[in-house]
């Protein structure tokens, strides 16, 4: 059974950092595309970053380039989203998702975690 569990969200001041974790079970993160999405209040869910063994990391949105990075620890079967220089507009629920394919360019995301809230505010 595929399961994704996010953690690491919270309240942080503008300019601060957070690292989100996505612990996977039921499959190996090294075999599939793993993405991070976010959904702000009143907005549609948007893709942020994806990682796969075939593509490396791919940004889905320009606004986080230079601030967010994605990585994975195959031994722990966990994917991370490192978020630096956070801005109020980064406030959202962040979701981890696993694709049915190994490429971030056509991942076919099907499995989702429950999400973790990130709030950037002074």
């Amino acid at each position: 059974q595929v399961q994704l569990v996010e953690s690491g969200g919270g309240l942080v001041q503008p300019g601060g950092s957070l690292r989100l974790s996505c612990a996977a079970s039921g499959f190996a993160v090294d075999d599939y595309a793993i993405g991070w999405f976010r959904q702000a209040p009143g907005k549609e869910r948007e893709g942020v970053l994806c990682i796969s063994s075939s593509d490396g990391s791919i940004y889905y949105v320009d606004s986080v380039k230079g601030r967010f990075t994605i990585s994975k620890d195959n031994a722990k079967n966990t994917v991370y989203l490192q978020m630096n220089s956070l801005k109020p507009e980064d406030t959202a629920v962040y979701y981890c998702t696993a694709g049915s394919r190994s490429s971030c360019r056509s991942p076919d995301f099907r499995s989702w975690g429950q999400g973790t809230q990130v709030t950037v505010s002074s």
Side-chain angles (χ1 to χ4, degrees), residues 90-103:
D90 295 317
T91 295
V93 178
Y94 283 73
Y95 298 90
C96 175
T97 178
S100 63
R101 303 172 184 156
S102 61
S103 173

Side-chain angles (χ1 to χ4, degrees), residues 64-79:
V64 304
K65 288 182 179 179
R67 301 188 298 122
F68 291 11
T69 57
I70 190 171
S71 62
K72 59 181 177 178
D73 185 330
N74 292 331
K76 295 183 178 179
N77 214 34
T78 297
V79 175

Side-chain angles (χ1 to χ4, degrees), residues 1-121:
Q1 181 180 357
V2 173
Q3 189 172 16
L4 300 166
V5 179
E6 303 98 332
S7 62
L11 174 65
V12 62
Q13 292 187 344
S17 297
L18 280 175
R19 188 180 78 158
L20 306 184
S21 300
C22 172
S25 59
F27 72 103
V29 297
D30 198 39
D31 293 340
Y32 297 96
I34 308 296
W36 283 98
F37 279 63
R38 65 185 181 184
Q39 187 166 19
K43 295 187 177 181
E44 294 187 355
R45 189 175 297 189
E46 68 172 356
V48 178
L49 269 164
C50 178
I51 190 167
S52 72
S53 295
S54 59
D55 302 317
S57 60
I58 290 180
Y59 288 89
Y60 288 147
V61 62
D62 289 341
S63 62
V64 304
K65 288 182 179 179
R67 301 188 298 122
F68 291 11
T69 57
I70 190 171
S71 62
K72 59 181 177 178
D73 185 330
N74 292 331
K76 295 183 178 179
N77 214 34
T78 297
V79 175
Y80 303 98
L81 181 67
Q82 179 66 44
M83 305 185 295
N84 300 327
S85 301
L86 282 160
K87 304 176 181 180
E89 51 262 43
D90 295 317
T91 295
V93 178
Y94 283 73
Y95 298 90
C96 175
T97 178
S100 63
R101 303 172 184 156
S102 61
S103 173
C104 289
R105 304 184 188 279
S106 57
D108 187 27
F109 291 124
R110 294 192 178 186
S111 301
W112 295 81
Q114 82 288 350
T116 186
Q117 176 71 47
V118 172
T119 302
V120 185
S121 175

